[in-house]
Amino acid sequence: MAETDSRFAYQDARRRRLDRVTQHIVVGSGLLVMMALVLIFFYLLYVVAPLFVSPSVTQYAASPRVASAPSAAVGISDDGSLGYRIDQRGFGEFMVFAGAQSLPRTALSVTPITRAVAFGEGRPHYALLSATGHITIVAPFIPLAGNAQPAWRYPFGKTPLPLTADGTPLRHLALALRETTPPMAANAAATVVDAVAVWVTQDNRLSMGRISADSVQPVASVALGDTPVDDLVLTPRGDVIYSLSGNQLSSWRVSGETLTLSGTATLPSAGPWRLALFSGGYSLLVYTESGKIFQWFDVPGADGLRLTEIRDFPQRETQGMQLVPEALRRVFATLTPQGALSLFASKQSAAVLTQQVAAQAQRMVFSAHGKALLLETPTQWYAYRVDNPYPDIGWRGLWQRVWYENYPQPDFIWQSTAADDSYQAKFSLVPLLAGSLKAALYAMLFATPLALAAAVYTACFMTPGLRRWVKPTLEVMGALPTVVVGLIAALWLAPHVETYLSAILALPLLCTLGVLGVGALTARWMQGREVLLLMPVLLLIVLGVCGFAPALEVRLFGQPLFQWMDGNFVQRNALVAGIALGFALIPLIFSLAEDALFNVPTRLSQGSLALGATPWQTLWHVVLPSASAGIFAALMLSFGRAVGETMIVLMATGNTPIVDAGLLQGLRSLAANIAIEMPEAVMGSGHYRVLFLTALVLFVFTFVVNTLAETLRQRLRRRYRDEGDHA
């Protein structure tokens, strides 16, 4: 007896040890899963956080100004190590900020200089204008490395070029660099760089010419009337001219050798007004020295392009304000005589930064990529480091309508890249979130009735022998790779939906009537085996409708329905995605819902039947409420999977990021967008971080949905468990 007790005690101790080890493994694995989720969340947050860090401007150098002559132009290298200036006496000098070393001055070929006009996006060039209407174009050469010294170069020759035949001075001048490749050129070395110049003469004529090596070729000239021109700008492409006369703003199109007035607009009477161009030249900044700033650009309409005021940039009014735009980004800065510096971006009306810098600055200029800022006072140069890597990305651009250049109205736009270097990226997440919800909603509408009806029939009405075949077969469908489902949807289903569009739209109603009809006919003599008759009937309905519908479409509309719908139909659309994604969700919903229904205690259903309830009454009032927690969990888990699905949505839709609830239009989901664009995103760029932001939004959304689903499921479970205990 003692040996037996000892053996049992040993077995009990061994079992307890195994139980403890198993418990620790399960708990540890659960904690590791939770830790992995937390780490994923914080890593996504770590990558996304720099998008919303406030910019900064930090002074790193201050050097005395050697020359006393007034400046005609100033500039700074992109790394901020070197500053330069051109004074009105015709001298150019460089300043190395490390050690405040001033290099020897260089005499330029124009003296005196009445005006210096900067042009060339990313490659600063300066047109030096003399009192006789001659110009010389110079460009600072800044070596990247080595022992080479900075110098002044003359890309169009040292000889001053006359813009007017009689040598009279000009009122206004604007230039643009252009690169052209001859049609017969075989390589990039044949690319020709020339400049386009527009100017206003003393008799108020607008003239245009092309500048090549040592020559100016006149192109066109038009009279502007009696009102003198107050300001003039030329787009970097040299195709649009903006002029300002009083409060009258005009735009001119350059077509070949003609100048055509394309639009006019009237500004508020308060002025005087000044003009500046955003990077790319598609947007115009109209401002006053008192602090009023407006953005204008051409808006397409029924009558063509129309110059329209888009937004204003409110700030405190002051006198003597300077405005300087960046060369390569749609960012500009304002500076007051008191030293109040403000940074603005085109998508945000409020200033992204307001900071105090050196007062009484006469000139201000950005480096080519906006990484450095140079201020010139009467006695000093001040160099500032600018940390503003993502100026155009903010909550407004991500979640609100924005009016972009060349768009007729404000809209939600996702378009991250384009062929044009001056393109402004558009990162609205609304089309992607709408596409994810749209695909998930249509998939659930397709899958839920079929999966729940199959689960109810299999669990409550089907014979046990048939159930042993049907349930495993449907569950095996869940193992089908989603990329295969997406491939079939893209290559086979989408063309068939296009061909049999009216039939597919009519099939839900006709199949429902067929199911009800078969159920009514077999209610008494085929209980539990109705599916054996139902499947052939549904097959005949599908074949019959698909065979009859194309001829009916031609008879009613004169052509197939998808052609009659014109632009309201695309082949890979939300309907195709809903069917394909719904097909992938059916096994998940069916399996979870069928288990919940089948596991309802038989004493509940048998008690209901014993009290005189019919099988359908028992199903509706006893079985379904008892299984509601499991059914709800099945639906919510399926919805979460549908929102995060990638391959089916990627392959079965047109991947068009639009906000449209149409069943026959395309879409793009958050997950599909990440799969499409992440391989091409530059690490650390705004595009790269916004893609991580979409991943964070998807992560948080699915986490919230699943948490809400689990909370409601537990409440339903406790409710019906308590009711069952009371019963």
Side-chain angles (χ1 to χ4, degrees):
M1 190 70 179
E3 294 180 0
T4 304
D5 292 340
S6 174
R7 185 184 63 208
F8 287 156
Y10 172 77
Q11 291 178 349
D12 289 342
R14 182 171 177 271
R15 188 180 298 113
R16 284 194 298 270
R17 285 196 301 271
L18 290 176
D19 288 344
R20 283 196 298 270
V21 171
T22 304
Q23 180 184 5
H24 292 324
I25 292 175
V26 172
V27 172
S29 300
L31 291 176
L32 287 175
V33 171
M34 295 295 295
M35 187 182 299
L37 292 175
V38 171
L39 289 176
I40 291 173
F41 173 78
F42 280 104
Y43 176 73
L44 294 175
L45 205 60
Y46 166 76
V47 177
V48 169
L51 291 176
F52 306 104
V53 174
S54 299
S56 63
V57 175
T58 308
Q59 180 181 328
Y60 66 91
S63 300
R65 223 180 76 177
V66 177
S68 59
S71 296
V74 295
I76 187 171
S77 62
D78 202 44
D79 61 1
S81 63
L82 192 71
Y84 55 87
R85 70 188 292 265
I86 301 172
D87 64 28
Q88 293 182 0
R89 294 180 182 176
F91 287 92
E93 65 174 313
F94 291 93
M95 168 63 72
V96 180
F97 290 120
Q101 177 188 1
S102 179
L103 301 181
R105 294 194 301 162
T106 302
L108 305 177
S109 61
V110 175
T111 182
I113 298 172
T114 60
R115 187 181 309 147
V117 179
F119 65 101
E121 287 189 314
R123 295 182 302 164
H125 288 64
Y126 299 90
L128 310 181
L129 179 64
S130 69
T132 59
H134 289 64
I135 65 169
T136 300
I137 298 177
V138 299
F141 167 70
I142 301 175
L144 298 178
N147 297 322
Q149 294 293 316
W152 299 98
R153 293 186 173 179
Y154 299 84
F156 298 94
K158 270 192 173 184
T159 305
L161 305 175
L163 295 181
T164 57
D166 54 1
T168 57
L170 306 179
R171 285 184 174 177
H172 299 283
L173 174 67
L175 298 95
L177 275 183
R178 298 197 313 176
E179 291 186 358
T180 57
T181 303
M184 301 302 292
N187 52 51
T191 299
V192 177
V193 179
D194 61 6
V196 177
V198 294
W199 60 90
V200 178
T201 58
Q202 291 293 328
D203 58 353
N204 212 36
R205 292 188 65 85
L206 177 65
S207 302
M208 178 177 178
R210 290 192 178 91
I211 302 175
S212 56
D214 301 326
S215 66
V216 178
Q217 177 186 356
V219 174
S221 180
V222 294
L224 297 179
D226 298 330
T227 306
V229 174
D230 297 322
D231 207 352
L232 182 76
V233 293
L234 176 66
T235 60
R237 302 172 304 282
D239 57 349
V240 181
I241 304 167
Y242 295 102
S243 64
L244 185 63
S245 301
N247 65 339
Q248 192 72 18
L249 177 62
S250 303
S251 63
W252 302 78
R253 296 281 170 180
V254 180
S255 178
E257 297 187 355
T258 60
L259 298 177
T260 305
L261 182 64
S262 60
T264 60
T266 302
L267 305 176
S269 57
W273 296 95
R274 294 290 180 263
L275 301 180
L277 283 172
F278 262 136
S279 171
Y282 295 101
S283 283
L284 185 68
L285 290 173
V286 183
Y287 67 98
T288 66
E289 292 184 357
S290 62
K292 296 180 180 179
I293 309 171
F294 301 92
Q295 181 183 2
W296 291 66
F297 56 71
D298 288 325
V299 174
D303 301 328
L305 297 176
R306 179 171 53 88
L307 197 58
T308 306
E309 179 188 326
I310 303 303
R311 61 179 63 92
D312 67 323
F313 300 91
Q315 64 171 358
R316 181 179 300 175
E317 293 194 12
T318 184
Q319 295 298 322
M321 182 198 75
Q322 298 182 54
L323 185 148
V324 176
E326 285 191 18
L328 299 176
R329 302 187 301 180
R330 287 162 177 79
V331 176
F332 67 93
T334 62
L335 180 65
T336 66
Q338 296 75 28
L341 174 71
S342 298
L343 284 180
F344 292 86
S346 64
K347 295 182 185 178
Q348 305 177 54
S349 58
V352 297
L353 171 71
T354 299
Q355 181 174 322
Q356 194 69 25
V357 293
Q360 302 302 320
Q362 297 174 331
R363 292 184 179 274
M364 173 176 64
V365 65
F366 281 105
S367 64
H369 290 84
K371 298 179 179 179
L373 181 69
L374 178 66
L375 300 185
E376 183 188 58
T377 68
T379 59
Q380 292 275 343
W381 279 358
Y382 294 95
Y384 295 86
R385 190 80 60 194
V386 180
D387 185 13
N388 187 22
Y390 313 111
D392 265 351
I393 300 175
W395 288 111
R396 181 173 181 269
L398 292 171
W399 299 109
Q400 298 181 20
R401 296 180 186 272
V402 177
W403 202 339
Y404 292 102
E405 298 162 348
N406 300 322
Y407 280 79
Q409 60 190 6
D411 206 348
F412 302 111
I413 306 296
W414 174 277
Q415 189 179 2
S416 56
T417 56
D420 190 354
D421 290 338
S422 63
Y423 171 77
Q424 183 180 29
K426 304 166 181 63
F427 294 126
S428 175
L429 299 185
V430 174
L432 307 180
L433 184 59
S436 297
L437 296 177
K438 181 179 175 181
L441 176 62
Y442 288 145
M444 293 298 292
L445 289 176
F446 175 80
T448 300
L450 297 177
L452 290 185
V456 168
Y457 179 71
T458 304
C460 303
F461 298 101
M462 186 177 287
T463 60
L466 193 56
R467 179 180 180 272
R468 284 193 293 268
W469 286 94
V470 171
K471 183 172 172 27
T473 301
L474 283 174
E475 290 177 343
V476 166
M477 288 171 50
L480 189 64
T482 56
V483 66
V484 176
V485 178
L487 182 65
I488 295 173
L491 299 183
W492 179 83
L493 180 61
H496 281 77
V497 168
E498 180 182 75
T499 304
Y500 303 105
L501 180 59
S502 61
I504 291 175
L505 295 177
L507 277 176
L509 176 61
L510 297 177
C511 289
T512 301
L513 295 176
V515 171
L516 294 176
V518 171
L521 292 175
T522 61
R524 296 186 179 276
W525 54 277
M526 259 187 110
Q527 290 185 1
R529 295 184 177 85
E530 295 88 350
V531 68
L532 300 178
L533 179 62
L534 181 61
M535 295 304 295
V537 170
L538 292 179
L539 182 60
L540 289 175
I541 291 174
V542 172
L543 294 177
V545 173
C546 290
F548 180 71
L552 182 62
E553 291 177 6
V554 174
R555 186 175 182 84
L556 292 178
F557 306 107
Q559 56 187 336
L561 180 58
F562 75 91
Q563 293 181 358
W564 179 79
M565 297 180 68
D566 196 19
N568 295 320
F569 176 85
V570 293
Q571 188 184 77
R572 298 184 184 182
N573 49 48
L575 177 60
V576 175
I579 294 174
L581 185 53
F583 179 82
L585 296 180
I586 285 176
L588 179 60
I589 300 175
F590 169 82
S591 180
L592 296 176
E594 201 274 343
D595 287 340
L597 290 165
F598 192 76
N599 290 328
V600 172
T602 56
R603 59 185 175 83
L604 296 179
S605 57
Q606 289 175 356
S608 174
L609 294 172
L611 292 173
T614 64
W616 277 105
Q617 290 174 327
T618 301
L619 174 66
W620 283 107
H621 298 289
V622 177
V623 178
L624 286 178
S626 300
S628 59
I631 294 174
F632 182 79
L635 295 179
M636 295 307 294
L637 287 173
S638 300
F639 180 75
R641 179 190 169 183
V643 170
E645 176 57 41
T646 302
M647 294 310 300
I648 294 177
V649 181
L650 177 64
M651 302 176 72
T653 67
N655 287 308
T656 51
I658 58 175
V659 181
D660 189 293
L663 184 64
L664 304 177
Q665 291 292 321
L667 58 90
R668 180 183 289 189
S669 69
L670 290 166
N673 186 70
I674 295 171
I676 292 171
E677 300 196 5
M678 185 60 80
E680 300 178 359
V682 178
M683 182 173 289
S685 65
H687 182 203
Y688 176 84
R689 297 188 188 278
V690 170
L691 290 177
F692 270 86
L693 178 61
T694 63
L696 181 61
V697 170
L698 185 61
F699 182 92
V700 172
F701 181 83
T702 53
F703 178 80
V704 170
V705 168
N706 290 337
T707 302
L708 179 63
E710 181 62 20
T711 302
L712 294 177
R713 187 180 74 86
Q714 292 295 341
R715 292 186 61 183
L716 290 172
R717 196 174 190 179
R718 286 195 300 269
R719 173 185 173 185
Y720 289 109
R721 182 186 61 194
D722 294 342
E723 290 184 0
D725 293 341
H726 291 313

